[in-house]
Amino acid sequence: MKKKRVLPVVWLIIVYTFLYLPIAVLAFYSFTDASMIGQAGHFSVKNFRTLFTTPELLNMIFGTIVLALVVGVLSTVLGTFGAIGAFYSKKRNRNLIEAMNQVPVVNADVVTGFSVCILLVVVLGINKDTYIPLVAGQMALCTPFVYLQVMPALSQMDHRIYEAALDLYCTPGQAVFKVVLRQLAPAIGSGFFTAVTLSMDDYFVTTYTKPAVFDTISTYTVNATKGAQTEIKTALWALSALIFFIAVAVVIAANVRSRRVENP
Amino acid sequence: MENILELKHITKSYEDGINVIEDLNLTVKKGELITLLGPSGCGKTTLLRMIGGFDLPNSGEILLHGEDIGQLPPEKRPINTVFQKYALFPFLNIYDNIAFGLKQRKVDKNLIRQKVKHALSVVDLEGFEKRNVDSLSGGQQQRVAVARAIVNEPEILLLDEPLSALDHKMRLEMQAEIRNMHDNLGMTFIYVTHDQEEAMNLSDRIVVMANGVIQQEGAPEEIYDRPANIFVADFIGVSNIFTGDVTDKKRARFAGKIFKTDSDLPVGTRIEAMIRPENVEITGAGEGAIDAVVTSDIYKGSHHEITAEFGKYEVTVYGKSRVETGSTIGIDFPREYIHLMRHDMDMNVFDGVINQDGSADFTYFTLAPDAEFMRDKAPGSKVQVVFESKDADLSDDPEAGFVTGNIDAIMYIGDHYTYIVRGDNDEDYYADDDWLWNMGDRVSIVVPQDKFRYRELI
């Protein structure tokens, strides 16, 4: 009996080591003054100091967050109403919308980014400095995922609650906002988080559509790691470690919360 | 009693053009508990939704205290609904669910608290304010749904099959409670159900509907004892129905015999005779009007459900004691319990099944419904076909129609003749024709394809 349990545990350890070891190494080196991974160094927080004092880095982080929030909100609104609209359409139209929604999900980001760039910048002649191509491009990336999160919640919803709201003196608008959207709120929330994460992760769409002076964490990191500015490079280790810790904290918080909801 | 609600000439059709409700008139009295009863698809829920404002009639008026509310949205009507499967708001606790309508109307907070407390006591759920919807049983959610509606003190409370999700025992309990609540509140209740037993238990008055048309309205006893037509007789309770005709003053022939009746229908009228199983008398063999052979006896606790055959007829009797299967018993139909109904010859209705070839078998004939109807119908699904007598014509070419038979009866109705054609398997068809045919003529029945109306039976 005991023997049977060893193999899966070993397997899991191997898998998780591959997943977490690189990040652990990065996190470890971000707390040293070494200028290269593998080099000996002493404990130091200079990488974090650089990260939080260099205006260029701070602007880039701040810009990434603002962009992610703007894209997140807009994609969530569009994706949610898109899902509601599709759900109440005739079956044929709904299937068509559903299928078309799948394409950007499956499609390579590089294709999405490149085609958005061609459409907005080359064909329609919109200046990249207006940020419109960037926001529109990232929305094209994020909206389908919001739609995918909201649709199942809509299917599971008891649709009579809309009529119940009308019955209890709501106007149709109030019934949508106070009852339908309220009921869909958890799904809309997770759609929003997906959109924010996708926006922050995105490299290809951003590269093709961003203004020349603007950088997100992704595009900045790719360029910076190519260059020779060691101080900035090592500060990005610190940034990576920080992002990882925040991600872990968010996941733990979400798990604790859902456990509390299940067992009140 | 004062009329609270009047429906006048209500017609409702959906996009496909089929009328769900046709020229319906109904009056509801203040304070009564009225039930709309009928099989699924009969239009009862559509009617309720029009009263609530969730559907709008194509034509006709809905008068509340004499004022037309037919085109008002639901939130403008002093009417509240208890929905099928409750439709409670899962993200609100019980208190906030019940307070929802009052808050929406900006009622004073302290008053809301009092009213919610009172509503919870009416439905016997004191102390449940802070509970979640999910933590309640079906019956409890049902009560919350009722409380959420009555707390607004509507003029009329609509209940749309509110007990359909509950088990049988719970349903009986809730029926009694709804009846009690109604009597205590003095509110007008309009109740929709397909369960005839539930309608009997609850109602002051029952409105029986089929195919969007009111078949009969009346007190439960009246509907049970004196159904207006064969549909009502068959739908409400168990009944023995025989076709026949009035042969003499207060005499009718059916089930192969002539019986005395209390009916005043004119001589010659085609009739259906109905007698309830509990009113059939069992006598010794040879002592009753009919001798019948017992085919089964099922003990039901309060009575024995006995089925017996005579000739090509079958009769169900509720007896007090066991009878041997295969033995012969005498049967009598006491005259005061024989209820005669005028035979409706406007419609031909047949039930059938979709077959493997994508057409429909109706026992005596096969029809091919149009592709629109056949889409997503699997072989084996049950269907019903209806055609009106006025759309059916007679032909002497046996190939012209979809079924053949012999003319069995002729009636002259003002400007045309109505014929009863007896098919080769003893089934009857009704057809109107301008020409005079002779008794016994061999004819086929011709109905244009687009006059067959198909309906899926569930």
Side-chain angles (χ1 to χ4, degrees):
Chain A
M1 286 300 277
K2 228 181 175 184
K3 221 179 176 184
K4 267 189 186 166
R5 288 209 174 150
V6 174
L7 262 178
V9 170
V10 170
W11 176 247
L12 275 180
I13 289 172
I14 293 171
V15 168
Y16 281 118
T17 307
F18 269 96
L19 273 177
Y20 287 97
L21 190 63
I23 303 167
V25 169
L26 202 61
F28 174 79
Y29 275 95
S30 69
F31 284 101
T32 66
D33 57 5
S35 59
M36 267 170 66
I37 304 258
Q39 207 175 53
H42 299 284
F43 175 79
S44 157
V45 290
K46 94 171 173 39
N47 287 330
F48 287 89
R49 202 180 304 128
T50 316
L51 181 65
F52 288 119
T53 52
T54 314
E56 191 182 287
L57 286 173
L58 284 178
N59 280 342
M60 176 269 290
I61 294 169
F62 183 69
T64 306
I65 292 171
V66 170
L67 176 69
L69 291 179
V70 169
V71 169
V73 168
L74 292 178
S75 307
T76 305
V77 172
L78 192 64
T80 302
F81 284 104
I84 294 175
F87 189 85
Y88 290 106
S89 300
K90 285 195 181 128
K91 208 172 179 188
R92 244 180 73 189
N93 294 349
R94 180 182 163 182
N95 289 343
L96 187 72
I97 296 171
E98 206 110 285
M100 301 224 306
N101 186 67
Q102 290 291 342
V103 175
V105 173
V106 180
N107 203 355
D109 290 0
V110 61
V111 179
T112 310
F114 193 53
S115 42
V116 167
C117 174
I118 287 179
L119 174 70
L120 296 181
V121 180
V122 180
V123 178
L124 295 179
I126 300 173
N127 190 343
K128 282 185 182 177
D129 290 341
T130 58
Y131 288 89
I132 291 173
L134 176 58
V135 172
Q138 289 210 339
M139 280 174 69
L141 190 73
C142 299
T143 307
F145 287 91
V146 177
Y147 177 100
L148 284 181
Q149 302 257 22
V150 175
M151 199 42 120
L154 253 176
S155 312
Q156 284 166 19
M157 189 176 85
D158 177 1
H159 295 274
R160 286 190 199 83
I161 64 173
Y162 170 74
E163 291 189 342
L166 294 182
D167 192 60
L168 297 167
Y169 315 108
C170 283
T171 62
Q174 288 173 326
V176 169
F177 280 97
K178 285 194 168 174
V179 172
V180 176
L181 290 185
R182 176 66 190 75
Q183 173 69 13
L184 297 177
I188 295 173
S190 62
F192 173 74
F193 275 111
T194 311
V196 167
T197 319
L198 279 170
S199 162
M200 291 175 108
D201 277 352
D202 172 64
Y203 172 76
F204 291 110
V205 175
T206 312
T207 314
Y208 283 115
T209 55
K210 74 183 179 63
V213 294
F214 178 82
D215 261 312
T216 65
I217 295 175
S218 304
T219 56
Y220 186 90
T221 308
V222 170
N223 290 332
T225 46
K226 280 184 203 150
Q229 266 186 297
T230 314
E231 205 163 76
I232 298 288
K233 234 193 257 181
T234 51
L236 288 175
W237 299 348
L239 179 59
S240 307
L242 203 61
I243 291 173
F244 176 70
F245 290 135
I246 291 171
V248 170
V250 167
V251 169
I252 289 174
N255 274 317
V256 168
R257 196 171 164 270
S258 72
R259 200 163 296 174
R260 230 180 254 158
V261 172
E262 274 162 36
N263 318 305
Chain B
M1 250 192 297
E2 180 196 344
N3 290 342
I4 189 164
L5 189 75
E6 284 172 82
L7 307 181
K8 288 188 171 167
H9 306 293
I10 298 289
T11 300
K12 173 74 184 172
S13 57
Y14 284 120
E15 280 163 29
D16 49 16
I18 293 167
N19 279 357
V20 187
I21 286 175
E22 230 176 312
D23 193 28
L24 184 142
N25 294 286
L26 180 67
T27 303
V28 180
K29 294 208 181 325
K30 193 171 162 52
E32 76 175 333
L33 199 169
I34 187 167
T35 298
L36 307 179
L37 173 67
S40 64
C42 75
K44 58 189 191 299
T45 296
T46 306
L47 187 60
L48 194 80
R49 290 174 59 81
M50 285 194 287
I51 299 171
F54 305 110
D55 278 335
L56 299 179
N58 297 100
S59 64
E61 290 180 312
I62 299 174
L63 304 178
L64 181 74
H65 295 304
E67 230 169 283
D68 191 3
I69 59 161
Q71 300 297 322
L72 288 182
E75 69 269 19
K76 298 257 167 67
R77 301 187 188 200
I79 294 172
N80 289 106
T81 309
V82 177
F83 291 86
Q84 207 172 2
K85 306 210 185 99
Y86 330 132
L88 297 175
F89 305 130
F91 47 85
L92 297 178
N93 67 19
I94 302 310
Y95 179 90
D96 289 327
N97 260 286
I98 298 173
F100 191 92
L102 296 171
K103 282 183 184 164
Q104 195 61 33
R105 285 192 301 172
K106 311 253 184 313
V107 175
D108 174 68
K109 269 201 172 146
N110 286 319
L111 194 58
I112 292 182
R113 203 166 304 134
Q114 282 173 30
K115 286 189 179 217
V116 172
K117 198 162 186 244
H118 177 70
L120 278 171
S121 77
V122 169
V123 298
D124 215 7
L125 282 179
E126 290 102 331
F128 275 67
E129 285 91 341
K130 293 270 180 296
R131 296 276 291 271
N132 281 328
V133 171
D134 293 339
S135 72
L136 301 190
S137 71
Q140 288 169 333
Q141 292 191 26
Q142 176 55 54
R143 289 159 202 251
V144 175
V146 172
R148 188 178 67 171
I150 61 168
V151 77
N152 301 294
E153 291 158 24
E155 301 249 6
I156 300 174
L157 183 72
L158 307 179
L159 300 105
D160 183 10
E161 307 229 9
L163 308 182
S164 58
L166 303 178
D167 63 56
H168 183 71
K169 204 174 159 210
M170 195 69 210
R171 210 151 59 215
L172 290 179
E173 263 172 50
M174 283 303 293
Q175 283 168 15
E177 277 191 41
I178 286 176
R179 183 69 228 188
N180 269 337
M181 259 182 248
H182 170 264
D183 295 348
N184 294 334
L185 293 168
M187 215 178 265
T188 310
F189 280 29
I190 303 180
Y191 194 101
V192 159
T193 183
H194 65 270
D195 181 342
Q196 46 102 4
E197 197 184 315
E198 193 167 297
M200 288 283 163
N201 289 349
L202 275 173
S203 321
D204 294 322
R205 203 148 62 92
I206 297 177
V207 177
V208 185
M209 292 181 68
N211 299 320
V213 176
I214 293 179
Q215 303 292 323
Q216 188 175 9
E217 44 179 298
E221 300 79 17
E222 190 182 331
I223 288 192
Y224 187 79
D225 293 338
R226 290 185 298 283
N229 57 38
I230 179 170
F231 171 82
V232 178
D234 195 43
F235 191 71
I236 311 267
V238 181
S239 54
N240 297 294
I241 297 170
F242 306 98
T243 49
D245 36 13
V246 178
T247 52
D248 211 337
K249 213 168 174 262
K250 301 209 182 238
R251 274 185 172 70
R253 176 181 31 226
F254 58 88
K257 291 263 168 174
I258 292 181
F259 293 90
K260 284 185 191 166
T261 77
D262 289 337
S263 164
D264 291 321
L265 287 172
V267 173
T269 312
R270 290 284 291 181
I271 50 107
E272 258 119 13
M274 181 211 75
I275 184 158
R276 298 288 181 188
E278 64 271 26
N279 296 329
V280 177
E281 263 173 27
I282 300 177
T283 63
E287 290 166 25
I290 294 162
D291 276 341
V293 179
V294 177
T295 51
S296 75
D297 177 334
I298 301 162
Y299 183 54
K300 293 279 187 180
S302 58
H303 60 264
H304 288 264
E305 185 184 284
I306 300 157
T307 314
E309 279 181 354
F310 56 99
K312 58 180 181 176
Y313 303 103
E314 191 183 73
V315 63
T316 304
V317 190
Y318 293 165
K320 289 192 184 64
S321 50
R322 172 163 294 283
V323 288
E324 281 307 312
T325 303
S327 67
T328 301
I329 54 172
I331 278 174
D332 237 338
F333 300 146
R335 73 184 286 171
E336 67 268 33
Y337 293 122
I338 297 173
H339 175 66
L340 298 190
M341 298 167 279
R342 189 187 292 275
H343 191 94
D344 178 12
M345 291 186 294
D346 293 342
M347 292 278 187
N348 294 274
V349 182
F350 295 95
D351 292 350
V353 184
I354 302 283
N355 63 22
Q356 297 290 342
D357 320 325
S359 45
D361 288 331
F362 291 97
T363 319
Y364 315 119
F365 53 89
T366 298
L367 294 172
D370 51 274
E372 180 71 23
F373 177 80
M374 289 303 292
R375 202 175 52 209
D376 67 36
K377 301 281 182 304
S381 14
K382 290 183 178 165
V383 291
Q384 187 175 70
V385 66
V386 177
F387 60 93
E388 292 184 37
S389 312
K390 66 177 163 62
D391 294 324
D393 286 317
L394 302 181
S395 163
D396 51 9
D397 174 7
E399 299 296 317
F402 67 97
V403 74
T404 54
N406 297 312
I407 292 181
D408 192 55
I410 306 171
M411 278 142 287
Y412 183 66
I413 319 232
D415 58 346
H416 66 271
Y417 296 92
T418 294
Y419 294 91
I420 300 172
V421 178
R422 172 103 355 132
D424 301 330
N425 296 290
D426 240 13
E427 76 282 13
D428 283 349
Y429 305 92
Y430 312 114
D432 293 355
D433 204 277
D434 296 337
W435 305 101
L436 180 58
W437 298 76
N438 292 317
M439 285 290 280
D441 278 357
R442 182 86 182 151
V443 291
S444 75
I445 298 170
V446 185
V447 178
Q449 269 305 322
D450 61 327
K451 297 297 183 191
F452 287 116
R453 280 184 287 143
Y454 299 94
R455 191 165 76 81
E456 188 167 17
L457 294 177
I458 303 148

